[in-house]
Amino acid sequence: MARKRSLDGGPAVAQLILDHAAQLFYSKGYEQASIRDLADSAGISPSTVYHHFQNKQEIAYRVLVRFMRDFNDATIPVMRDSAQSAASRITEAIRLHIEISDKRRPELLRLRGFRSILSEAQGREVTHMEIEYHDAVKGLIIEGCQAGEFRTPDPTLATMAVLDMLNGVRSWFRQDGVLTLSEVVHIYTAMVHKLLADVTQAPGGGR
């Protein structure tokens, strides 16, 4: 049997716990997964888990926040890069949204339903990060309209439509499905450009 890790390890062990927790919550369910299950999965002792986190609720919260922070850090700077056209920025943002959501599916698909386990302060933090991303998408669409690249009559509704489309991919896409991930990105990029009435050439054809 492999020797279990000690309490030492600092951030590296904490990240290991979050990695295994995300997979365990995804495969087994939050309610069904125990700290013992998590410790066994990560090859550590339950006391090591409690050395880094107070309880299972905090672990789930940290998994969710870690994903959302990484997601925003990857996507928002792209959308705010004024050196690029709005059309090229929305294209890159779509790719990142779909690819990151699929790559880190366990952290997102199940934990989004765990809002009821968050404290009031934790819920506010999660909501703030969601709003930050939403506002970046909306700001980009407004900027594209002002530049004449997009012609949607209602940027607010367009933002909600785009996010509904992109968020929906994770609920049905499978790596062994009919479409590859790159094909999904290509198709959804074309659909978003059409929705925004992009007056430049959209990927996949069409204006």
Side-chain angles (χ1 to χ4, degrees):
M1 179 181 294
R3 183 169 61 88
K4 292 184 180 294
R5 295 172 184 261
S6 69
L7 295 180
D8 299 329
V13 172
Q15 293 305 311
L16 176 73
I17 293 169
L18 296 182
D19 291 341
H20 281 269
Q23 292 291 339
L24 190 63
F25 294 157
Y26 179 70
S27 62
K28 193 170 185 177
Y30 174 78
E31 295 296 340
Q32 288 69 39
S34 67
I35 293 295
R36 168 63 69 180
D37 293 330
L38 174 55
D40 289 343
S41 174
I44 58 180
S45 66
S47 60
T48 300
V49 176
Y50 286 116
H51 176 75
H52 291 278
F53 303 99
Q54 291 184 355
N55 49 41
K56 188 171 69 170
Q57 186 267 1
E58 184 191 0
I59 294 171
Y61 160 69
R62 293 297 177 187
V63 169
L64 179 57
V65 168
R66 183 182 67 168
F67 168 81
M68 296 185 66
R69 183 177 295 116
D70 290 348
F71 183 86
N72 283 4
D73 286 347
T75 57
I76 291 177
V78 169
M79 289 188 281
R80 292 178 176 169
D81 181 9
S82 58
Q84 304 297 322
S85 68
S88 64
R89 280 181 275 163
I90 200 74
T91 294
E92 179 65 4
I94 293 165
R95 182 187 69 80
L96 289 169
H97 188 124
I98 294 175
E99 290 183 354
I100 296 172
S101 296
D102 180 67
K103 182 178 181 181
R104 298 177 64 172
R105 176 184 298 261
E107 297 169 79
L108 180 64
L109 191 62
R110 294 289 179 88
L111 288 178
R112 286 188 64 85
F114 291 171
R115 298 296 287 270
S116 62
I117 72 171
L118 300 181
S119 69
E120 184 176 348
Q122 291 170 344
R124 285 197 301 268
E125 183 178 0
V126 170
T127 298
H128 173 76
M129 288 187 285
E130 290 178 333
I131 291 173
E132 185 180 23
Y133 180 70
H134 174 280
D135 288 349
V137 175
K138 182 178 178 180
L140 176 55
I141 292 174
I142 291 173
E143 188 177 341
C145 291
Q146 292 172 341
E149 296 181 60
F150 304 145
R151 294 182 296 187
T152 179
D154 192 326
T156 298
L157 287 179
T159 299
M160 290 189 288
V162 168
L163 294 181
D164 281 347
M165 288 172 60
L166 299 180
N167 289 332
V169 173
R170 64 177 177 267
S171 68
W172 62 265
F173 176 76
R174 296 294 180 270
Q175 288 287 348
D176 59 353
V178 176
L179 296 173
T180 66
L181 189 64
S182 61
E183 288 172 332
V184 172
V185 170
H186 182 80
I187 292 168
Y188 270 68
T189 299
M191 289 194 297
V192 170
H193 277 272
K194 185 175 182 180
L195 171 68
L196 299 177
D198 185 359
V199 297
T200 63
Q201 186 71 18
R207 294 177 64 89

